[in-house]
Amino acid sequence: MSERIPDPARPRTVLLRGGEVHSPADPFATAMVVEGDAIAWVGEEGAADSFADGVDETIHLDGALVTPAFTDAHVHTTATGLALTGLDLSTATTLPGVLARIRAYAAARPADRILLGHGWDASAWPEGRPPSRAELDAATGGRPLYLTRVDVHSAVVTTALLDQVPGVRELAGWHPDAPLTGAAHHAVRQAAYATVTPAQRADAQAATLAHAASLGIGSLHECAGPDISSEDDFTALLALAAEGRGPRVVGYWAEAITSAKGADRIRALGARGAAGDLFVDGSLGSHTAHLHAPYADASHTGTAYLDTETVAAHVAACTEAGLQAGFHAIGDAALTSVVDGVRAAAERVGTDRIRAARHRVEHAEMLTESTVAAFADLALTASVQPAFDAAWGGESGMYAGRLGTDRARTLNPYAALLKAGVPLALGSDSPVTPLDPWGTLRAAVFHRTRAHGISARAAFTAHTRGGWRAVGRDDAGVLVPGAPADYAVWRTGDLVVQAPDERVERWSTDPRSGTPGLPDLTPGNDLPVCLSTVVAGRTVFGRPNE
């Protein structure tokens, strides 16, 4: 690496050379120049010599891959940080193992007013059930405890926590000795998170941003709202991100509005839109996703939180105010409510205005041919999480248990969405599934239902440029002159181009393809390791000793 004293009167320039630069501007690019916070030039090694004497710093890539930084289009930043720094049950495989972890955690945190944990999934345990309240009371010594299921749509709690939430036993979603859902869950979550101090919250948020940067993530879409966190949590996160020491954060606040006054309140919070996890329904794992036909393992159709008219009023108000609207919708009935509501809003304010607003739907799992077509017609962005399929898809996964194998095979139809022209933005819903961009691409390509898988190139675009397009920016998420200098440098193996025809070799290293290569995502292969992450021209992560 070489560096010279920069002229403070002009933006700092950096030349990266001797690597592989993933750019549609030049599929053979090996070098890139960054000027200030933007990409200035991308090209091949021979041409890089002409820049060498005029830059402030030269970085020798030694064969490393440079890509646009990833955008994770659905994150819960504070909850992710609390999981990173607190009681994480995502790797627990048995009920006794969970109880042992709880006992150890409680003993190690004697001063905590409420014990917080996340990630249990009883559907994968031999016992087939979550811990009972009596078991939790015994494991904690009678202390308050709040443990969210992996999907964050239900929780198990101790008696001591329930005693701190007056009236919880009268709320919808209350169960005497089963996970709490709906309003009862929201009430205990609010009580639990109210005990998190500003310092703990700041530490959790910083931990998430640092972890994301270490994975080559340059932007996060924070999906907050009154049923999930608090206004103080949301505004503190946006203020922290504005300091520019980590990934960018685009905030969404999930609160239904019906007027310009409501829109002004959303905008005053710093939110990009009244969207994200504005719940139309719940989740499949917690039996709260809203279905047209009953669950295979329960005698009901889940829970509807918003009806078609509420959806229509919200979308119309947001469109009139120039805000993005959006919803959390997983079940087929919930998705029908969303598309019917958006169509009704289009009749009020005009279809062209609806399309231009780029409203979005989070998760969008149980799509049908008609709802896919409606997404395309209304230009709705599908903000989806391929790791859901990796975790719960397949013939014997949780989806099949909840829905039966035939309905389960219809879930997460990414290929159909792309074929119809629906914009895709990929994310994790962390802490539901971990921040893991290359793993997310692998899950999208090697879908458990083969027909729903998409190409590596399409998945990569959806996890980079797609996230920017989802917030209304078409000039970012790609390494071309003029684009924001948000990029990551990777140590990886050979770059390959995926063949579109299954009759030929699936992957090719032939440079004559004229298509920028990507790492081989075949399961079993090592995924790339992030060496550095740069946001707006500022290095926000650098791997030590690299």
Side-chain angles (χ1 to χ4, degrees):
M1 180 184 297
S2 61
E3 193 165 357
R4 70 172 192 165
I5 298 174
D7 178 356
R10 64 176 178 79
R12 191 170 185 274
T13 57
V14 178
L15 169 64
L16 298 87
R17 64 184 308 178
E20 300 282 350
V21 179
H22 187 96
S23 172
D26 184 347
F28 307 105
T30 62
M32 180 172 77
V33 173
V34 174
E35 185 173 6
D37 61 0
I39 307 297
W41 172 84
V42 175
E44 297 176 49
E45 196 64 25
D49 290 335
S50 63
F51 294 98
D53 292 334
V55 299
D56 300 309
E57 181 183 4
T58 298
I59 296 174
H60 297 281
L61 294 168
D62 297 325
L65 170 67
V66 183
T67 71
F70 286 103
T71 292
D72 191 307
H74 192 120
V75 175
H76 304 286
T77 306
T78 302
T80 297
L82 291 172
L84 289 169
T85 60
L87 177 56
D88 182 1
L89 299 173
S90 61
T91 59
T93 58
T94 67
L95 177 56
V98 164
L99 295 173
R101 291 193 193 190
I102 293 171
R103 282 191 293 270
Y105 187 76
R109 306 291 287 258
D112 286 9
R113 290 171 55 194
I114 292 181
L115 300 167
L116 301 173
H118 166 74
W120 59 269
D121 184 0
S123 68
W125 301 344
E127 299 81 8
R129 67 169 181 86
S132 68
R133 192 157 296 132
E135 289 169 330
L136 295 176
D137 289 345
T140 60
R143 294 170 62 189
L145 168 73
Y146 171 74
L147 290 181
T148 46
R149 190 184 181 278
V150 63
D151 58 13
V152 201
H153 283 269
S154 59
V156 290
V157 302
T158 56
T159 304
L161 178 56
L162 291 174
D163 291 343
Q164 296 186 22
V165 188
V168 66
R169 292 168 175 83
E170 283 72 52
L171 295 176
W174 159 259
H175 305 284
D177 195 23
L180 305 183
T181 61
H185 175 217
H186 296 161
V188 296
R189 173 163 54 194
Q190 186 174 35
Y193 283 168
T195 68
V196 176
T197 67
Q200 287 175 309
R201 180 178 64 209
D203 287 346
Q205 292 174 348
T208 300
L209 296 182
H211 183 55
S214 76
L215 299 170
I217 297 171
S219 298
L220 303 173
H221 296 181
E222 165 68 12
C223 292
D227 290 333
I228 300 166
S229 53
S230 69
E231 291 184 12
D232 287 346
D233 181 275
F234 183 64
T235 56
L237 171 62
L238 296 183
L240 177 63
E243 295 176 5
R245 293 179 290 182
R248 303 173 192 260
V249 175
V250 177
Y252 288 95
W253 185 253
E255 185 174 330
I257 65 169
T258 57
S259 66
K261 183 178 180 180
D264 289 343
R265 211 185 77 74
I266 300 296
R267 194 175 282 109
L269 289 173
R272 176 67 181 79
D277 277 334
L278 181 50
F279 297 119
V280 179
D281 67 346
S283 74
L284 292 165
S286 292
H287 288 101
T288 51
H290 188 206
L291 314 181
H292 283 304
Y295 284 87
D297 60 351
S299 58
H300 62 83
T301 58
T303 307
Y305 297 130
L306 298 180
D307 60 18
T308 297
E309 175 51 37
T310 305
V311 170
H314 179 70
V315 172
C318 286
T319 305
E320 294 278 13
L323 283 176
Q324 273 187 295
F327 305 93
H328 161 120
I330 287 179
D332 51 1
L335 287 160
T336 297
S337 294
V338 168
V339 298
D340 287 351
V342 177
R343 284 200 186 283
E347 293 176 0
R348 300 176 195 179
V349 302
T351 300
D352 288 345
R353 294 180 69 189
I354 292 291
R355 291 169 176 160
R358 303 192 190 191
H359 302 310
R360 51 191 284 171
V361 182
E362 311 299 316
H363 316 309
E365 294 201 74
M366 288 188 70
L367 290 160
T368 63
E369 287 187 14
S370 63
T371 48
V372 167
F375 269 50
D377 181 47
L378 298 165
L380 296 174
T381 294
S383 171
V384 298
Q385 297 74 40
F388 286 10
D389 174 73
W392 303 308
E395 298 294 305
S396 59
M398 182 271 288
Y399 290 153
R402 291 289 186 269
L403 302 172
T405 54
D406 288 344
R407 277 193 295 178
R409 290 191 193 104
T410 70
L411 265 61
N412 303 302
Y414 304 140
L417 286 165
L418 285 180
K419 184 177 181 181
V422 176
L424 282 187
L426 303 190
S428 63
D429 198 10
S430 181
V432 176
T433 59
L435 298 169
D436 179 14
W438 290 108
T440 295
L441 299 190
R442 175 179 280 172
V445 175
F446 294 95
H447 199 291
R448 288 182 178 271
T449 302
R450 189 183 182 102
H452 298 331
I454 59 178
S455 72
R457 184 181 180 188
F460 182 80
T461 299
H463 213 357
T464 51
R465 199 169 193 178
W468 283 91
R469 286 173 167 167
V471 298
R473 291 280 301 272
D474 294 329
D475 61 338
V478 62
L479 301 182
V480 297
D486 288 26
Y487 60 91
V489 180
W490 307 90
R491 182 173 66 238
T492 187
D494 291 338
L495 302 184
V496 298
V497 176
Q498 187 179 7
D501 193 331
E502 293 293 339
R503 294 172 298 179
V504 299
E505 181 64 33
R506 187 172 180 86
W507 305 97
S508 171
T509 57
D510 188 346
R512 293 171 298 177
S513 65
T515 300
L518 287 167
D520 188 341
L521 300 174
T522 302
N525 287 350
D526 291 337
L527 294 175
V529 174
C530 185
L531 302 180
S532 65
T533 305
V534 174
V535 174
R538 298 183 301 270
T539 299
V540 297
F541 169 76
R543 186 166 295 279
N545 304 318
E546 294 282 357

